[in-house]
């Protein structure tokens, strides 16, 4: 009886040692940044753990501004952003940072109104809401675009991001493209001086505020609106059609984008009858010259897998995959990494 107890204890200790050794042998790759692609990145990291159990990804969803700061400071192995880094910022980096586009998604206008009506809005109306010029839900500019919808005579409460955000960059890039006034007064940036409204941290924070507060309007990536069961508006595009945000309409917008060699591009307010007008790409930010050869090799292996296999998972989470011709270009760029 005593020997059985000793044997069991010994076996338990042996299992614990094996588990500990396996955990310590697993390489940890750290990343931080955009909340916009967090749902698809989480999926990729979970799936990739089955492909290569020797590596684990730790991704902090802190916003694009945080992702850019951390890759600049070299405190992470990769950053993530839905706003491309500026020439000035890239010039200050301690090494050459490459933009690796992954997927595209939609910024949607979401709101909290009785009955969750389906709204239609054009760009100038959205601009006026976020400038504070339209402050009541039953304003004629909203009502005339939504015949048959009973809109309340209540205040509009704008919710925006409080952190530096690529989702914000896409949103204000669009507002600037349809309004000279917005471009002049507020402009394009991951962090702007908002004329009106309440702040929320991350896509999660904005979605949470809109869900809790009646009369609110905000902007989030499509997946967050769907996860929180929030309604979102159809938006009039450059062809004059009201378009529902979704994989098909974002794919249409992406197909019209002019993508330069460095992969930094905007795709808001594109041509095309079926294009959704408030969409953008998201990028992984990685140093071309990897300091840690072992980590560099694993990171390149993951990037190749993400483009070859991960793109096929994008649609299940309401992201548009990169077109095949762009995927090929990205795979060629990945070959330039040095480690």
């Amino acid at each position: 009886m005593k020997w059985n107890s000793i044997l069991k204890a010994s076996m338990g200790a042996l299992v614990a040692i094996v588990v500990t050794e396996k955990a310590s042998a697993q390489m940890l790759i750290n990343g931080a940044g955009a909340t916009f692609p967090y749902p698809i990145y989480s999926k990729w990291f979970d799936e990739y753990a089955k492909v290569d159990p020797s590596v684990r990804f730790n991704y902090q969803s802190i916003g694009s501004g945080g992702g850019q700061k951390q890759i600049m400071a070299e405190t992470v192995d990769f950053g993530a952003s839905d706003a491309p880094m500026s020439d000035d910022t890239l010039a200050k980096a301690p090494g050459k940072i490459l933009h690796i586009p992954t997927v595209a998604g939609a910024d949607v206008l979401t709101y909290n109104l009785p009955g969750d009506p389906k709204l239609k809005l054009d760009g100038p109306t959205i601009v006026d809401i976020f400038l504070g010029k339209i402050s009541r839900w039953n304003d004629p500019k909203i009502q005339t675009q939504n015949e048959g919808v009973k809109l309340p005579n209540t205040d509009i409460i704008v919710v925006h991001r409080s952190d530096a955000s690529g989702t914000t960059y896409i949103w204000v890039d669009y507002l600037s493209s349809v309004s000279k006034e917005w471009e002049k007064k507020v402009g394009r940036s991951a962090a702007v001086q908002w004329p009106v409204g309440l702040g929320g941290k991350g896509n999660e924070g904005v979605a949470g505020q809109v869900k809790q507060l009646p009369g609110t309007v905000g902007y989030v990536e499509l997946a967050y609106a769907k996860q929180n069961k929030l309604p979102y508006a159809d938006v009039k595009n450059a062809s004059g059609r009201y378009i529902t945000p979704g994989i098909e309409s974002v794919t249409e917008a992406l197909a019209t984008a002019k993508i330069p060699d460095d992969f930094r591009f905007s795709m808001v307010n594109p041509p095309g009858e079926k294009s959704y007008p408030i969409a953008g790409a998201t990028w992984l930010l990685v140093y071309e010259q990897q300091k840690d050869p072992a980590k560099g090799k694993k990171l390149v292996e993951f990037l190749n897998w993400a483009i070859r296999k991960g793109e096929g998972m994008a649609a299940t989470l309401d992201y548009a995959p990169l077109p095949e011709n762009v995927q090929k270009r990205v795979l060629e760029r990945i070959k330039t990494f040095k480690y």
Side-chain angles (χ1 to χ4, degrees):
M1 193 73 178
K2 187 177 179 183
W3 281 109
N4 277 345
S5 299
I6 292 170
L7 186 60
K8 283 180 182 177
S10 299
M11 288 297 290
L14 183 61
V15 169
I17 290 167
V18 170
V19 170
T20 304
E21 284 183 353
K22 186 178 178 182
S24 63
Q26 197 176 44
M27 180 182 289
L28 183 64
I29 295 179
N30 294 303
T35 64
F36 182 95
Y38 180 63
I40 183 67
Y41 287 176
S42 295
K43 173 78 170 171
W44 283 358
F45 298 146
D46 286 346
E47 290 299 318
Y48 194 67
K50 301 169 190 173
V51 176
D52 185 356
S54 73
V55 65
R56 183 167 65 87
F57 285 83
N58 170 41
Y59 182 72
Q60 300 297 316
S61 176
I62 60 171
S64 295
Q68 291 193 19
K69 283 180 182 175
Q70 291 212 21
I71 194 66
M72 288 286 287
E74 299 181 280
T75 52
V76 290
D77 301 305
F78 66 92
S81 178
D82 328 307
M85 296 178 77
S86 68
D87 290 342
D88 287 347
T89 304
L90 287 172
K92 294 171 187 171
K96 185 177 180 181
I97 295 175
L98 297 182
H99 285 65
I100 304 297
T102 51
V103 294
D107 267 19
V108 303
L109 183 134
T110 185
Y111 44 87
N112 185 332
L113 287 173
D116 292 344
K118 182 68 173 176
L119 297 183
K120 295 178 180 178
L121 293 168
D122 60 17
T125 304
I126 296 171
V127 168
D128 282 352
I129 289 170
F130 278 77
L131 282 174
K133 289 184 170 185
I134 293 176
S135 59
R136 306 287 287 182
W137 275 109
N138 64 345
D139 186 284
K141 286 185 181 177
I142 301 175
Q143 191 67 75
T144 53
Q145 294 175 75
N146 294 278
E147 288 182 25
V149 176
K150 185 170 175 58
L151 292 165
N153 182 23
T154 54
D155 288 337
I156 295 173
I157 304 165
V158 170
V159 182
H160 55 72
R161 288 286 286 274
S162 60
D163 52 331
S165 152
T167 308
T168 292
Y169 180 85
I170 295 165
W171 189 253
V172 298
D173 188 21
Y174 168 71
L175 297 185
S176 295
S177 75
V178 297
S179 167
K180 293 290 184 190
E181 183 182 7
W182 184 276
E183 188 173 30
K184 185 178 178 182
K185 286 184 177 178
V186 186
R188 295 173 170 89
S189 180
V192 297
Q193 288 294 116
W194 293 98
V196 293
L198 309 171
K201 188 170 174 57
N203 271 282
E204 304 92 337
V206 173
Q209 292 258 40
V210 173
K211 193 168 187 174
Q212 291 170 20
L213 298 174
T216 45
V217 61
Y219 59 93
V220 293
E221 201 282 325
L222 176 60
Y224 290 86
K226 287 196 167 187
Q227 286 169 6
N228 287 281
K229 296 181 171 57
L230 291 169
Y232 45 90
D234 290 355
V235 180
K236 187 182 274 191
N237 68 7
S239 297
R241 298 181 63 185
Y242 289 99
I243 302 295
T244 301
I247 300 158
E248 296 81 6
S249 56
V250 172
T251 299
E252 290 280 344
L254 183 55
T256 69
K258 293 177 181 176
I259 303 176
D261 286 343
D262 65 6
F263 294 112
R264 291 183 296 163
F265 66 96
S266 166
M267 52 186 277
V268 299
N269 207 29
E273 287 193 357
K274 298 177 182 177
S275 296
Y276 179 69
I278 321 178
T282 191
W283 295 267
L284 291 177
L285 309 171
V286 189
Y287 283 103
E288 184 180 55
Q289 179 66 58
Q290 292 287 300
K291 287 186 175 180
D292 183 327
K295 272 191 177 183
K297 182 175 183 292
K298 290 293 185 184
L299 191 51
V300 165
E301 287 172 357
F302 167 75
L303 291 173
N304 278 311
W305 175 89
I307 301 303
R308 289 195 173 101
K309 303 289 186 183
E311 293 292 320
M313 304 173 190
T316 61
L317 291 166
D318 297 296
Y319 296 93
L322 300 175
E324 281 190 28
N325 65 317
V326 179
Q327 289 182 31
K328 288 176 183 175
R329 288 173 59 190
V330 174
L331 288 169
E332 287 301 311
R333 180 54 47 82
I334 293 168
K335 291 178 183 176
T336 67
F337 283 106
K338 303 175 184 72
Y339 50 86

